[in-house]
Amino acid sequence: MTRSLAPIGLLAYISGSCLLAILYPQSVLAFLLFEASLLLLYYIPAHAKVKSALAALVLVLLMPLLGAINGYYLEVAIQIGIYAALALGLNIVVGFVGLLNLGFVAFYAIGAYLWAIFGSPQANEFIAGGGFPLAPYWFFIFLLLSIGVGALTGVVLGLPVLRLRGDYLAVVTLGFAEVVRALVNNLDKPINLTNGPRGISPIVKPPLFFRPVLEFFGLQVTDAKLYPLYFYFLVLLVVFVIILVTRRLESSRIGRAWKAIREDEIAAAAMGVSVVRMKLLGFAVGASFASAVGVLFAAKQVFIAMVILGGMGSIPGAILGATGVTILNLQLLKGLSLWLNGLRQSGAVLSLPLLGSYSLSQLPVQFEPAKYERMVFGLILILMMIFRPQGVLPPRREQRK
Amino acid sequence: MDLALEILPQVLVDGLVLGFMYALIALGYTMVYGVLEFINFAHSEIFVLGAFVGVEILLMLQSAGLLAVLHPAAVLLLIILAAMVVSGLAAMALERVAYRPLRGSPRLVALISAIGASFLLQDGLRLFESLWRNTFYLTYPTLDFLDRTVPLGANVVVPVKSILVVVTALVMLWGLNLFVNRTRIGAAIRAVAQDPDTASLMGVPVNRVIATTFFVGGAMGGLAGVLFGLHYSLVNPYTGFFPGLKAFTAAVLGGIGNIPGAMLGGMVLGMLEALAASYLSLATDGAFGAEYKDVFAFAALILILIFRPKGLLGEKVREDRA
């Protein structure tokens, strides 16, 4: 009974929240309600086919529709997609193999710079002939190439450090991320490879190969409108492929070996699992995902600089597997900042019964909630580890058996 | 080549200062690792906290007009003690809140909690300073006598602040050595580091020993923070990242869990870094400059871990808890 009722209810919820989001295009809340439908979808009892149909409806049809009305929603959706893809890559390394890789962003940066350098005039600096930037269709070749490059760097870093115990590995990978950051920031001499802290711009976008098809149907869309939608579908595709690969890997021989290593390395080795090889593989697969996402990011961003790629900011989000939380946080804090700014400018006077009155215009300018996302992350991380170390959505492994 | 020889004494002094700084911070990592087998990721923030306590007291004294009146030695003693106590207490509180509930859970869980604590402290400090001073980039007030220089040999001058760093660090390291090797609680720390279960059976109050370890390690970190501030004068809540990471490298270099090892590792790393910062650009004709000194430190870390994972002073980490 519930099996047939739940999807109908959810469908009603989806259309309702979608309508809300269309009616109130400025409302973050309406959009969050809409996003929550995916979470609900995860929980409801329904047939797998029904679930995927509903997910496709939300992601392929409604989301772009909303995005066409309000470009900001699409921007948020793309951000979530990129974080989700990164989180999935990290999930292989940390979640399956149990290696805490704190230098994960470095692989992402490598992918991003790969396309940034060759998809812009930057490569002319060190390759003679003036053949750069490459033509747009090269983007797809680089997307594939980045998988190989990411895997290669993963192996190169992994080979020396994977024999280390868990916490040493965490620090060495963190150091590796800093090395990559230092290199990227400083390799504008002796040969100008990365243009240093100034970043690289402009970067070629992927080709609009489907334009003739659109024109055939009489659709005239400007590039500015088309690109966000295009990127949305690209990110969606990449996330989909990554999920597919991850799920296939998880239940394969390799995935079982990874989990065996995570649970007990010695026992796994005794069972004939080649521990170092499997760890290396996990490292490389995670790195290649991150690197591919990096290429996507570079193409979308047009301008990249280390400021955006820097720091461990995205890691907690990835560890939590709560990419939605990341954006939610940014939204909430940003909203709070704006609100405080408004208060400050209005110069309202707060009168407290015991403390006397306090003019809000005296609020220090430096106090901006939007800047404290790391504080929120930190708090979430500690609380999660103490109260719910298995995560918000723990794997359903045990239930299946 | 002449230039290289000419700057050598200065480079060695810089290296010595850096080395003692790293050694002091590394002690916090190594002592905690000794008793808990756990990397206290937030230790770099404890270090920064010390630097902020120092600058806050100095700024307060300055605005009260006392900075010029009080004897410099009294001022120094005050800020050093205050920073040590505050940092030590903060480290203890951190252990109580973020680490103790996780004891016995997998390593990764505690490590992630430590990373969270590190984030929280960084932005917490920033929040506090933003509300309190409306800026979180603080500058140490100049203390005239610290900037004086002492001539040493023909063409080498050493600023008083460098001497201060070296002397204070030496005194503290000597004191710590006495504390760990000669006192009852020191013996308890060593017992817990060797085997917490057996130590507990012998009547050692393990929780208290761990709290003490955090206090002592934190106090050393706070001291390093004040010295860092006095020497380099600029601090912000994110200053701690690099010194922290390098101090950890130093601890690993010396053999983590090993107190003399941390001191040795700090010295070696500080020297290496000072040499790299000055000679890298000279050796490569300006192609690679001082900005690669950090790369150097991490390359050193990776190399050590590959070729001598137990560090220079080969350590006595128990295999059973590995």
Side-chain angles (χ1 to χ4, degrees):
Chain A
M1 191 61 192
T2 47
R3 278 207 155 221
S4 59
L5 266 183
I8 298 170
L10 187 65
L11 203 59
Y13 174 85
I14 291 172
S15 38
S17 59
C18 187
L19 205 66
L20 262 177
I22 292 171
L23 287 177
Y24 300 98
Q26 302 305 321
S27 162
V28 177
L29 192 69
F31 183 64
L32 285 179
L33 282 176
F34 177 66
E35 289 276 294
S37 61
L38 285 174
L39 195 68
L40 286 176
L41 191 63
Y42 180 86
Y43 276 121
I44 60 160
H47 203 272
K49 273 184 187 156
V50 178
K51 278 191 176 191
S52 33
L54 279 173
L57 174 76
V58 170
L59 289 172
V60 180
L61 207 67
L62 293 178
M63 189 59 234
L65 195 73
L66 274 181
I69 296 167
N70 185 349
Y72 177 67
Y73 288 166
L74 209 55
E75 189 63 32
V76 175
I78 293 171
Q79 249 342 300
I80 293 179
I82 285 182
Y83 277 141
L86 278 178
L88 284 164
L90 192 63
N91 183 45
I92 290 194
V93 187
V94 181
F96 290 176
V97 202
L99 304 167
L100 190 57
N101 183 356
L102 295 182
F104 200 65
V105 273
F107 299 117
Y108 175 65
I110 286 171
Y113 267 92
L114 188 68
W115 177 239
I117 289 172
F118 290 101
S120 73
Q122 184 63 29
N124 290 329
E125 300 271 345
F126 54 91
I127 300 175
F132 298 95
L134 292 168
Y137 71 87
W138 276 90
F139 168 79
F140 292 106
I141 298 171
F142 268 75
L143 198 57
L144 292 178
L145 200 65
S146 69
I147 296 175
V149 172
L152 196 72
T153 39
V155 170
V156 167
L157 174 70
L159 264 180
V161 303
L162 278 181
R163 288 166 203 273
L164 303 174
R165 295 210 320 257
D167 30 15
Y168 277 133
L169 183 80
V171 173
V172 171
T173 48
L174 186 62
F176 171 71
E178 285 310 316
V179 169
V180 169
R181 190 214 293 272
L183 285 177
V184 163
N185 261 331
N186 295 310
L187 270 183
D188 46 355
K189 62 185 171 42
I191 38 169
N192 189 352
L193 217 56
T194 62
N195 211 21
R198 277 152 300 168
I200 297 176
S201 164
I203 302 163
V204 171
K205 293 182 173 204
L208 293 162
F209 58 88
F210 47 85
R211 167 135 283 177
V213 182
L214 289 180
E215 275 166 3
F216 179 78
F217 285 106
L219 286 167
Q220 289 294 338
V221 196
T222 56
D223 279 9
K225 272 233 173 240
L226 199 54
Y227 269 120
L229 277 171
Y230 184 25
F231 275 116
Y232 173 73
F233 279 109
L234 266 180
V235 169
L236 199 62
L237 184 74
V238 167
V239 171
F240 182 71
V241 170
I242 288 181
I243 290 178
L244 210 66
V245 171
T246 309
R247 288 184 64 167
R248 301 291 295 172
L249 275 176
E250 188 180 359
S251 45
S252 74
R253 206 183 153 79
I254 296 171
R256 280 176 282 137
W258 282 342
K259 284 181 191 163
I261 292 173
R262 178 190 66 193
E263 298 300 332
D264 191 333
E265 211 175 304
I266 297 167
M271 290 295 141
V273 173
S274 161
V275 172
V276 170
R277 234 178 72 204
M278 281 299 157
K279 277 183 173 180
L280 214 54
L281 192 64
F283 221 65
V285 171
S288 60
F289 286 177
S291 167
V293 179
V295 169
L296 254 180
F297 176 81
K300 175 184 161 291
Q301 219 55 33
V302 185
F303 172 88
I304 67 167
M306 272 328 269
V307 190
I308 313 164
L309 297 175
M312 311 195 298
S314 63
I315 291 174
I319 291 172
L320 288 169
T323 48
V325 172
T326 312
I327 305 302
L328 186 77
N329 255 323
L330 296 180
Q331 292 305 312
L332 273 178
L333 292 174
K334 217 174 258 169
L336 202 59
S337 264
L338 285 174
W339 181 68
L340 266 177
N341 257 331
L343 278 182
R344 197 176 289 141
Q345 264 152 28
S346 73
V349 176
L350 205 66
S351 53
L352 299 166
L354 286 172
L355 302 165
S357 63
Y358 178 77
S359 170
L360 284 171
S361 56
Q362 289 171 9
L363 254 165
V365 193
Q366 277 293 337
F367 177 55
E368 264 191 85
K371 302 265 173 67
Y372 295 99
E373 63 202 54
R374 282 161 74 103
M375 194 159 140
V376 177
F377 281 145
L379 202 61
I380 292 176
L381 280 181
I382 299 177
L383 292 177
M384 287 273 298
M385 286 306 118
I386 293 177
F387 296 110
R388 203 179 160 84
Q390 73 273 37
V392 181
L393 298 175
R396 289 176 164 177
R397 190 168 40 130
E398 282 83 13
Q399 292 168 18
R400 226 186 288 146
K401 277 174 193 165
Chain B
M1 210 53 224
D2 285 346
L3 182 62
L5 271 180
E6 217 166 276
I7 60 172
L8 185 63
Q10 196 59 52
V11 172
L12 291 181
V13 170
D14 287 349
L16 211 61
V17 170
L18 264 180
F20 274 113
M21 213 98 77
Y22 290 156
L24 282 176
I25 311 170
L27 282 172
Y29 285 108
T30 231
M31 288 181 70
V32 166
Y33 196 91
V35 291
L36 281 184
E37 296 257 306
F38 152 77
I39 298 173
N40 181 9
F41 231 85
H43 188 61
S44 52
E45 275 56 58
I46 300 292
F47 155 79
V48 172
L49 187 65
F52 268 87
V53 169
V55 75
E56 275 299 334
I57 293 179
L58 283 179
L59 286 174
M60 278 177 202
L61 287 178
Q62 193 177 37
S63 60
L66 287 171
L67 201 54
V69 187
L70 288 174
H71 192 275
V75 174
L76 281 181
L77 202 64
L78 174 70
I79 60 172
I80 284 175
L81 281 180
M84 287 178 73
V85 170
V86 172
S87 286
L89 289 178
M92 257 169 93
L94 190 67
E95 190 269 336
R96 185 70 196 80
V97 175
Y99 305 152
R100 195 178 296 179
L102 294 174
R103 215 173 291 155
S105 50
R107 284 159 164 276
L108 275 189
V109 168
L111 193 59
I112 292 172
S113 177
I115 293 170
S118 162
F119 282 178
L120 186 68
L121 283 173
Q122 274 176 9
D123 270 2
L125 204 55
R126 174 174 172 173
L127 181 65
F128 174 80
E129 288 298 342
S130 295
L131 287 174
W132 174 239
R133 292 205 182 269
N134 200 15
T135 176
F136 51 89
Y137 290 92
L138 297 185
T139 315
Y140 268 68
T142 42
L143 297 171
D144 285 332
F145 77 99
L146 282 182
D147 288 323
R148 275 183 223 143
T149 51
V150 179
L152 203 79
N155 49 7
V156 189
V157 285
V158 183
V160 172
K161 54 188 179 187
S162 300
I163 298 175
L164 175 80
V165 171
V166 173
V167 171
T168 319
L170 271 177
V171 170
M172 285 299 164
L173 294 179
W174 175 72
L176 184 76
N177 208 29
L178 283 187
F179 172 75
V180 173
N181 288 322
R182 293 268 190 277
T183 63
R184 242 178 112 75
I185 184 89
I189 289 176
R190 281 179 287 136
V192 173
Q194 267 181 20
D195 190 334
D197 296 333
T198 312
S200 164
L201 290 175
M202 297 295 147
V204 176
V206 174
N207 273 337
R208 220 163 70 209
V209 168
I210 289 173
T212 313
T213 310
F214 269 88
F215 181 83
V216 174
M220 291 292 155
L223 170 69
V226 170
L227 295 178
F228 180 91
L230 286 172
H231 201 267
Y232 301 104
S233 72
L234 287 173
V235 285
N236 72 61
Y238 309 102
T239 315
F241 181 76
F242 273 112
L245 207 52
K246 284 178 192 157
F248 177 77
T249 306
V252 174
L253 181 63
I256 197 155
N258 182 325
I259 292 175
M263 301 180 196
L264 179 71
M267 293 315 299
V268 171
L269 198 72
M271 281 293 172
L272 253 173
E273 191 180 321
L275 288 173
S278 326
Y279 288 117
L280 213 54
S281 137
L282 224 60
T284 58
D285 235 356
F288 296 99
E291 59 272 15
Y292 286 100
K293 63 184 200 298
D294 298 333
V295 176
F296 224 68
F298 298 124
L301 175 67
I302 293 178
L303 287 178
I304 302 154
L305 286 175
I306 298 168
F307 293 110
R308 201 175 161 81
K310 289 200 167 155
L312 292 176
L313 294 192
E315 201 270 347
K316 30 91 202 185
V317 170
R318 294 137 307 180
E319 290 296 323
D320 55 327
R321 280 170 95 205

